[in-house]
Amino acid sequence: MRLTCTVNGSPQQVDDVWEGESLLYVLRERMGLPGSKNACEQGECGSCTVYLDGTPVCSCLVAAGQAEGREIGTVEGMATEESLHPVQQAFLDAGAVQCGFCTPGLLVATDDLVTRSLAAGAPPEDAEIREALAGNLCRCTGYEKILDAVKLAAQRMAAR
Amino acid sequence: MSAPARTPAGAPGHLTGPAGGGIGTDAQRPDGTLKVRGEFAYGSDLWMEDMLWGVTLRSPHPYARIRSIDVGPALAVPGVHAVLTSDDVPGAKAYGLELADQPVLAVDVVRYQGEPVALVAADHPETARAAAARIVVDYEVWEPVTDAIAALGHPRWNAVHEDDAEVTELSRESAHLHPEGNLVRHLKVRTGDPSPTADVVVVNTYEVGMQDQAFLGPESGLAVPAEDGGVELYVATQWLHVDQRQICSALGLPPEQVRLTLAGVGGAFGGREDLSMHVHACLLALRTGRPVKMSYNREESFFGHVHRHPATMRYEHGATRDGDLVYVKAEIYFDGGAYASSTPAVVGNGGTMGIGPYVVPNVHVDCYGAYTNNPPCGAMRGFGSVQTAFAYESQMDALAAALGMDPVELRCRNAMEQGSTAITGQVIDSPAPVVELLRRLEAMPMPDAAPDDLRHMPGGVSNTTHGEGVRRGVGYAVSYKNVAFSEGFDDYSTARVRLEVVGGEPVATVHTAAAEVGQGLVTVEQQIARTELGVDRVVVHPKDTQVGSAGSTSASRQTYVTGGAVKAACEAVRGQVLARAAELTGRPVGELRLFDGAVVGEGLELPLAEVLGDDAVEETLEWRHRPTEAIDPETGQGFAHVQYAFSAHRAVVDVDTELGLVKVVEMACTQDVGKAINPQAVIGQIQGGTAQGLGLAVMEEILIRDGKVQNPSFTDYLIPTILDMPPMRIEVLEYADPHAPYGLRGVGEAPNISSGPAVLAAIRQATGLPLTRVPVRPEHLTGT
């Protein structure tokens, strides 16, 4: 089948997509966007988290056909050529990146959380952060520096 | 040496990253920006235009004879390019880290569920999977051997504890799985009086379940056939050269024709020390003449790597009424599963460090590794020490209770210190601040009582309690772990360092084969080069087999050993540069040093550009830590270990005693790291190691029934989430080890060892239950 959608603001069209393929597979193997990760491919780890029409989803659980005509945002779309997104910079500054396999999914989930929280008027508190990121597994960091990174990102994004 | 015909998308490049930051600073990772941009390529991200996908057909049975294999139906599937079995393995049919006993593809018999039987390469991964399902394997299913003690033919517990356990008459449950029998290794430690007596004695048996490394990046890589008949393999792994040796043996090719490059690694924790898809992808690539990518999904990953050995342990501790340890007797069984992997070395650690960081005059340890038809077990962070720490630290608590003593007091009273003799007869010849680690933990403030907020209660927003039935407990544990390879292993690393001036700016390039798996070794390599060569810009060359072995990224050893090699290579480069400068300036070498891109001396600042011109100064050398020696096979005595790492934890838990739910409220950790080369990364290791220890204490276990894995998914095998991990208090001590580069100590494993036993102790204190098995499950707490 043919799939037409928008990825990180650019229109995309791919042919010969097998109906059983996930959005994650299409992004990684057919669109040359391997930034979204494939740690479990069953919706448990969050490493494949992308925006689908502005809502974070596990792209491994989205059938490619369900993305038809929709807008997708991946980790590759967060930074500009010149500078990192504040969430990306905060993860680096806080030391929240070790192996980095969970990072792309966490960056998208964090961006969503912080954006929503700030729109509601306040940076997220610890308990909210833990609840929001409970679907993103990390095996390296023990999560402490991820919490630090989220708070740092929220502080910087609030100041903008 | 021929260059690869083509380079895949995702092949690693040189890493530069932010300039600046010598040792002792929080220098940033050179791969960090790539990782947050989603541009860092892991093994599973490798891609080539005409690549095929390889998949593995695995045995559904833990023990069976293969009567026949019919690959015809798979070959008939359109899009399939090759189907291979053990007949297609041109070289040695078996491989292994320590013993070559594991078939590349099953030969006649399968010995565990998930053993690779056949391979398929096709143009789409689903085509390959569908074709693999059509391979017809006729199995004669046998009854599996599933208990390590029974596999050895030992009685459940050795009745006369002083004697070696004897193998009794072989029964079905102890049928020989390998020609030499089911014993992989038996380690003995014997010191002092063989028949000691004591005022107070505690005896208990303990069990530790099978833990999975659960690294997030799946086993993956890409094999590219080369024009010289060899193969280029890009792979996520822990030790390129030991992989190369085993791949060469299986392919029947010389090392010049099997060239490995490290692809991006999404965590390892020991699970990548053994081969997974390495040989398989090479076989398929050489057969088809096409690049072949293999990338396991999560279910296959659970079958595709070794796990932490489950252990069954019986401990007897004797002490005086005042609390001085008189003796320890321990019988330790590690279930090695179907193949040896690193079981001999795990037994080595389990036995030689099996009583913890305590001074005990009379010791009798028997530590066994056994073959069974369970999944093969091998390296995982903590490597034999994690299991025994649950037992010996539980024993210290049990003994303290029997003596009516405070558990921390009992530990401090018997703690090792510098100058103490370990049970191997080795004198601890560098700082061993066990008492200080514990006292500092005790002095830390305790967390507040649980706030009246569901989210902080056991069960969380599941709304299972509002505080009724919730009890708080506090537990302490301390542990130690050998750093680097032990027992006489020639443990070295190789570093190539080049210094040159590029575009007017001095640049150092560091080339080692040491696997970066997420821990930050690439940062450490840069920091050492900056400090030793006085330059800001340091480039990390891709990790490959074009330079000599760095040894394994395991055993907390790379900062020590590859760090030592990089330091030594830098010193050799510096020696050459300063000799040139001495010639140019007429100053003695001893008055010159490298600083901020220049050769400096009193009243002298000579830019490196003027010393080097267009020349590059390069040195390649091997570096070894001081040698260790094999232990005596009858007594376990010998200089077995080069260095020890010490850490201690305090855990605070809230337990819902009605439902058996545990909420870890806080973890506190103290660790001596000798010298923190990168303090931020050290903290990251402590936090991450603590999480994995907590996981084993309360949730992580591969459940095996009749040799079959019951929970090969992240739905059913649970690892700690951000909701499970509490805040941590951490104090890092820096007591230099005079034998190590910069005085540093390996960091990664120790906190993984002391964390779980502290959590277990805290749950025990909260509930008053003996709790002799981890992970602790709700039914252990409620008795239901």
Side-chain angles (χ1 to χ4, degrees):
Chain A
M1 71 181 183
R2 168 177 289 181
L3 175 66
T4 308
C5 57
T6 304
V7 181
N8 297 329
S10 304
Q12 294 273 349
Q13 181 177 306
V14 285
D15 289 316
D16 301 325
V17 174
W18 176 57
E19 289 77 359
E21 288 174 12
S22 65
L23 172 59
L24 176 66
Y25 184 90
V26 170
L27 287 169
R28 291 175 51 78
E29 304 296 338
R30 298 193 182 275
M31 294 182 176
L33 294 170
S36 307
K37 293 297 173 234
N38 54 327
C40 80
E41 297 173 271
Q42 56 184 177
E44 293 288 351
C45 75
S47 72
C48 65
T49 304
V50 301
Y51 280 118
L52 184 64
D53 286 345
T55 303
V57 296
C58 286
S59 59
C60 71
L61 294 184
V62 177
Q66 291 176 291
E68 178 65 33
R70 301 175 77 174
E71 288 199 17
I72 295 140
T74 74
V75 66
E76 286 100 336
M78 290 180 76
T80 64
E81 193 79 359
E82 299 77 38
S83 65
L84 296 177
H85 185 283
V87 174
Q88 293 172 314
Q89 190 63 51
F91 268 64
L92 284 184
D93 294 343
V97 179
Q98 288 191 33
C99 94
F101 210 80
C102 67
T103 304
L106 272 162
L107 293 172
V108 173
T110 300
D111 179 54
D112 175 63
L113 166 68
V114 173
T115 306
R116 277 190 291 113
S117 299
L118 294 180
E125 292 172 1
D126 275 21
E128 292 171 75
I129 297 171
R130 290 183 189 277
E131 203 173 330
L133 301 184
N136 291 79
L137 297 178
C138 168
R139 191 55 159 168
C140 297
T141 66
Y143 303 103
E144 281 274 273
K145 292 188 183 301
I146 291 171
L147 273 164
D148 295 344
V150 176
K151 287 185 262 189
L152 185 59
Q155 188 190 329
R156 287 176 180 172
M157 285 166 75
R160 285 204 304 188
Chain B
M1 207 169 283
S2 79
R6 294 171 303 147
T7 306
H14 289 72
L15 294 172
T16 51
I23 66 161
T25 70
D26 291 338
Q28 282 203 355
R29 310 179 60 96
D31 55 8
T33 300
L34 289 172
K35 285 180 173 176
V36 298
R37 282 180 173 270
E39 292 170 0
F40 181 83
Y42 297 85
S44 49
D45 299 335
L46 295 160
W47 194 86
M48 282 181 103
E49 180 68 39
D50 59 343
M51 72 183 189
L52 300 173
W53 289 80
V55 305
T56 327
L57 176 71
R58 295 173 181 273
S59 166
H61 308 294
Y63 198 27
R65 186 172 74 85
I66 297 173
R67 290 199 193 96
S68 64
I69 303 177
D70 181 5
V71 300
L75 275 170
V77 174
V80 169
H81 289 250
V83 183
L84 307 180
T85 68
S86 67
D87 291 343
D88 301 298
V89 177
K93 303 283 187 191
Y95 68 92
L97 282 173
E98 299 186 33
L99 299 167
D101 66 353
Q102 183 156 5
V104 174
L105 291 167
V107 182
D108 301 331
V109 174
V110 289
R111 295 183 182 80
Y112 73 98
Q113 182 206 20
E115 180 158 349
V117 173
L119 305 169
V120 177
D123 52 15
H124 192 286
E126 288 306 323
T127 306
R129 283 186 197 114
R134 298 186 64 176
I135 297 171
V136 181
V137 186
D138 183 16
Y139 292 103
E140 176 186 324
V141 178
W142 294 344
E143 185 187 336
V145 173
T146 59
D147 181 275
I149 299 178
L152 296 176
H154 290 190
R156 192 64 198 168
W157 290 110
N158 194 359
V160 187
H161 209 67
E162 289 73 18
D163 296 337
D164 292 344
E166 292 296 330
V167 174
T168 57
E169 191 180 342
L170 290 177
S171 65
R172 175 61 245 161
E173 60 190 7
S174 52
H176 282 188
L177 304 178
H178 291 272
E180 303 296 315
N182 294 341
L183 179 65
V184 183
R185 185 177 182 189
H186 174 196
L187 179 146
K188 304 175 197 174
V189 180
R190 308 280 185 266
T191 68
D193 181 352
S195 304
T197 54
D199 301 336
V200 179
V201 174
V202 292
V203 185
N204 286 294
T205 59
Y206 299 93
E207 272 185 47
V208 176
M210 185 185 290
Q211 188 178 23
D212 189 62
Q213 296 84 355
F215 44 72
L216 290 194
E219 291 87 343
S220 51
L222 178 74
V224 186
E227 284 168 6
D228 63 355
V231 63
E232 315 283 337
L233 178 66
Y234 298 84
V235 64
T237 192
Q238 285 181 236
W239 186 359
L240 289 166
H241 286 78
V242 84
D243 291 351
Q244 185 189 37
R245 169 171 67 74
Q246 297 172 91
I247 297 166
C248 285
S249 166
L251 298 180
L253 289 174
E256 307 83 67
Q257 285 182 276
V258 178
R259 296 170 288 270
L260 273 68
T261 302
L262 185 72
V265 184
F269 315 117
R272 298 184 207 267
E273 207 170 43
D274 294 74
L275 297 183
S276 59
M277 45 57 65
H278 307 54
V279 178
H280 298 163
C282 292
L283 286 170
L284 290 169
L286 290 170
R287 173 61 67 91
T288 60
R290 299 262 293 265
V292 173
K293 173 170 167 173
M294 293 186 80
S295 181
Y296 293 174
N297 61 22
R298 182 52 50 184
E299 179 176 4
E300 184 169 19
S301 180
F302 272 96
F303 294 102
H305 61 256
V306 300
H307 311 290
R308 187 191 300 291
H309 291 72
T312 307
M313 302 167 283
R314 179 187 185 274
Y315 273 71
E316 179 176 331
H317 277 58
T320 66
R321 272 184 228 294
D322 295 334
D324 293 326
L325 284 170
V326 176
Y327 73 90
V328 178
K329 297 179 184 181
E331 204 174 338
I332 302 158
Y333 288 88
F334 288 119
D335 182 350
Y339 297 105
S341 179
S342 48
T343 294
V346 169
V347 168
N349 281 7
T352 58
M353 281 165 293
I355 70 161
Y358 303 109
V359 178
V360 185
N362 309 296
V363 174
H364 190 116
V365 175
D366 288 288
C367 185
Y368 304 90
Y371 286 121
T372 67
N373 292 117
N374 290 325
C377 289
M380 184 177 171
R381 192 178 196 171
F383 202 83
S385 298
V386 165
Q387 296 92 328
T388 54
F390 276 105
Y392 64 68
E393 285 301 83
S394 296
Q395 282 291 95
M396 293 303 279
D397 286 344
L399 188 59
L403 289 162
M405 274 181 82
D406 176 81
V408 173
E409 288 303 323
L410 178 67
R411 286 175 170 83
C412 290
R413 191 178 180 97
N414 292 283
M416 241 175 207
E417 56 188 17
Q418 185 165 359
S420 299
T421 302
I423 64 173
T424 52
Q426 219 177 327
V427 174
I428 305 295
D429 60 2
S430 69
V434 177
V435 172
E436 184 177 350
L437 293 174
L438 288 164
R439 294 297 184 205
R440 281 177 178 266
L441 278 178
E442 273 191 320
M444 288 187 195
M446 292 294 276
D448 296 334
D452 191 17
D453 180 337
L454 272 182
R455 293 176 296 186
H456 299 287
M457 304 269 178
V461 290
S462 303
N463 195 13
T464 50
T465 180
H466 289 228
E468 64 279 10
V470 174
R471 308 248 188 290
R472 178 157 287 192
V474 180
Y476 290 83
V478 61
S479 71
Y480 78 142
K481 167 73 178 55
N482 60 326
V483 171
F485 282 23
S486 296
E487 298 189 65
F489 190 88
D490 181 22
D491 194 21
Y492 69 96
S493 181
T494 314
R496 178 175 298 153
V497 172
R498 187 171 73 239
L499 182 61
E500 63 200 315
V501 175
V502 179
E505 193 183 351
V507 179
T509 303
V510 179
H511 186 182
T512 75
E516 164 64 44
V517 299
Q519 81 281 39
L521 182 72
V522 285
T523 326
V524 165
E525 290 179 337
Q526 290 184 309
Q527 290 178 267
I528 290 173
R530 289 187 192 118
T531 292
E532 297 301 330
L533 298 175
V535 298
D536 268 354
R537 276 187 64 197
V538 179
V539 175
V540 179
H541 188 285
K543 312 292 194 168
D544 58 29
T545 51
Q546 309 296 314
V547 67
S549 175
S552 181
T553 294
S554 62
S556 307
R557 66 179 283 287
Q558 285 294 25
T559 299
Y560 189 136
V561 187
T562 290
V566 171
K567 178 172 187 278
C570 287
E571 286 164 353
V573 166
R574 188 176 63 208
Q576 281 201 40
V577 174
L578 294 183
R580 284 188 187 210
E583 209 167 289
L584 283 173
T585 61
R587 300 278 192 94
V589 168
E591 292 180 8
L592 303 175
R593 61 196 175 89
L594 293 179
F595 179 73
D596 203 10
V599 175
V600 297
E602 203 177 322
L604 172 78
E605 188 175 337
L606 187 60
L608 276 174
E610 291 179 28
V611 182
L612 294 175
D614 293 330
D615 295 348
V617 176
E618 182 176 290
E619 290 281 351
T620 304
L621 55 82
E622 285 179 4
W623 187 87
R624 287 168 166 75
H625 59 68
R626 57 191 173 137
T628 59
E629 60 185 35
I631 54 170
D632 183 283
E634 292 306 316
T635 64
Q637 301 299 291
F639 191 87
H641 305 301
V642 66
Q643 186 188 62
Y644 297 102
F646 296 89
S647 68
H649 273 88
R650 182 186 72 191
V652 180
V653 303
D654 283 340
V655 181
D656 180 341
T657 53
E658 293 165 4
L659 292 175
L661 301 176
V662 176
K663 165 82 182 173
V664 182
V665 174
E666 186 196 83
M667 296 293 289
C669 180
T670 49
Q671 181 169 351
D672 175 24
V673 304
K675 164 75 182 171
I677 302 297
N678 186 314
Q680 188 183 57
V682 163
I683 298 291
Q685 286 296 307
I686 293 173
Q687 292 166 336
T690 299
Q692 291 180 6
L694 181 154
L696 179 55
V698 297
M699 63 181 81
E700 293 186 35
E701 182 175 9
I702 296 182
L703 298 167
I704 313 283
R705 192 179 303 145
D706 300 329
K708 292 191 176 182
V709 176
Q710 305 298 302
N711 55 342
S713 74
F714 280 164
T715 307
D716 298 312
Y717 182 93
L718 302 181
I719 65 173
T721 70
I722 198 168
L723 284 171
D724 300 305
M725 277 309 294
M728 286 194 68
R729 296 178 198 271
I730 297 171
E731 285 183 18
V732 172
L733 278 55
E734 295 183 273
Y735 291 122
D737 175 352
H739 309 287
Y742 307 115
L744 71 84
R745 250 172 231 288
V747 172
E749 291 175 292
N752 183 218
I753 302 169
S754 49
S755 146
V759 173
L760 181 65
I763 301 172
R764 212 184 268 127
Q765 204 214 29
T767 60
L769 296 167
L771 302 178
T772 56
R773 189 187 195 284
V774 287
V776 174
R777 295 198 286 258
E779 59 266 34
H780 300 152
L781 300 178
T782 57
T784 50

